[in-house]
Amino acid sequence: MKALAVADVRAAVAREWERFIARLPAADDGPGWRVATRCQGWTVSDLAVHAVWGISMEADALRRAGAGRREPAEGRTLDPARAGPEEIVSGLVAARQALLDELAVLDDHDGERIVPLPYGELPRALFLPILVMEAGIHADDLAAGGDAAAPLADDVVVATTNFLVTFLPVLAAGASATPPAGTVVALRGATVDLRLRFGDGRWSAADAGDPLPGPSGTGDAGAVVAAEDDSTILRFALGRLAADDSRLSFSGPGRAFKRWFPGP
């Protein structure tokens, strides 16, 4: 799947965080801020406070990368127990604008420029899809009806798929189980066809055109998780849908997917 241009990233980030802010309860709606979200253990307030930190950290990371600084980026931290709705919303608006300002000065070159993050360093080309994925998925987290929300935007699908290709093997480091060597797992939606192969104790990207051999080499279907649309399969991969959701289908040991790739 192709990468998004910087202009596309900026447009998606602007749109999705605007949607996130628009979906927040009114400032005087106290109970609305305490409603649970589909992010386990987080209320609407918790998720919004997390977004303030995340967006401001992303802006700081791009700022440091542009200046050639390598110390880890920092985000604005609010106390969920003390921050009121007005402070949270103003923090989101300011952080969103700071991130858009940093994206406005980028072009499609220097993809290898190092972005210093709290959890490690990434080349900018790998960091930009994270910005779109975070914005799109968190806006989706606040959507009415949760998993019955409207489809993810096409650019969010592209960015999230690119994120998963790179970072599912990283998430697998925290797995409670691994499959036999040679196992290929596929995530399939309307346009998404993401495949990973397990061998030599680790996961790596597999060619989407390759067959799906079983671990025994018998030519069976391998491990497949499928849905009719991209949004459903990506929400499942990111832990937003459970394996018992009726829109998902599995073949082989596909139901073990989240044991192989826990989080995020």
Side-chain angles (χ1 to χ4, degrees), residues 147 225 232 235-250 255 258:
D147 61 2
V225 187
T232 296
R235 287 172 181 142
F236 169 74
L238 293 172
R240 267 61 177 184
L241 292 181
D244 60 0
D245 192 284
S246 61
R247 292 165 292 181
L248 295 166
S249 64
F250 300 87
R255 289 184 181 274
K258 291 307 291 181

Side-chain angles (χ1 to χ4, degrees), residues 24-250:
L24 291 171
D28 59 355
D29 182 10
W33 288 83
R34 295 190 291 273
V35 170
T37 69
R38 67 186 185 192
C39 298
Q40 187 173 5
W42 280 11
T43 64
V44 169
S45 179
D46 294 328
L47 179 57
V49 165
H50 166 75
V52 171
W53 178 85
I55 304 169
S56 58
M57 182 276 293
E58 291 167 348
D60 187 48
L62 287 177
R63 187 179 307 114
R64 293 174 192 244
R69 297 166 57 190
R70 302 290 284 267
E71 65 273 19
E74 297 178 345
R76 181 184 178 190
T77 301
L78 299 179
D79 182 352
R82 302 182 64 179
E86 291 185 1
E87 183 181 5
I88 294 173
V89 172
S90 65
L92 285 166
V93 170
R96 172 183 176 273
Q97 188 58 54
L99 180 55
L100 294 179
D101 289 345
E102 293 302 320
L103 288 169
V105 301
L106 301 185
D107 57 31
D108 289 311
H109 303 293
D110 294 332
E112 295 302 313
R113 185 181 289 273
I114 296 300
V115 180
L117 302 167
Y119 42 83
E121 297 181 339
L122 286 177
R124 200 184 72 186
L126 293 184
F127 180 58
L128 293 183
I130 297 176
L131 303 182
V132 178
M133 184 272 293
E134 288 277 349
I137 297 301
H138 282 326
D140 194 54
D141 288 332
L142 284 183
D147 61 2
L152 299 172
D154 289 346
D155 46 18
V156 175
V157 169
V158 171
T160 303
T161 303
N162 288 341
F163 166 83
L164 290 172
V165 168
T166 302
F167 290 100
L168 276 177
V170 178
L171 296 175
S176 61
T178 56
T183 297
V184 175
V185 61
L187 293 173
R188 288 176 171 168
T191 66
V192 171
D193 189 350
L194 191 163
R195 304 188 189 191
L196 295 163
R197 183 188 307 275
F198 186 75
D200 297 324
R202 63 185 181 87
W203 291 94
S204 59
D207 190 323
D210 286 349
L212 287 167
S216 64
T218 58
D220 57 357
V224 179
V225 187
E228 292 184 358
D229 64 282
D230 293 329
S231 299
T232 296
I233 203 69
L234 295 178
R235 287 172 181 142
F236 169 74
L238 293 172
R240 267 61 177 184
L241 292 181
D244 60 0
D245 192 284
S246 61
R247 292 165 292 181
L248 295 166
S249 64
F250 300 87

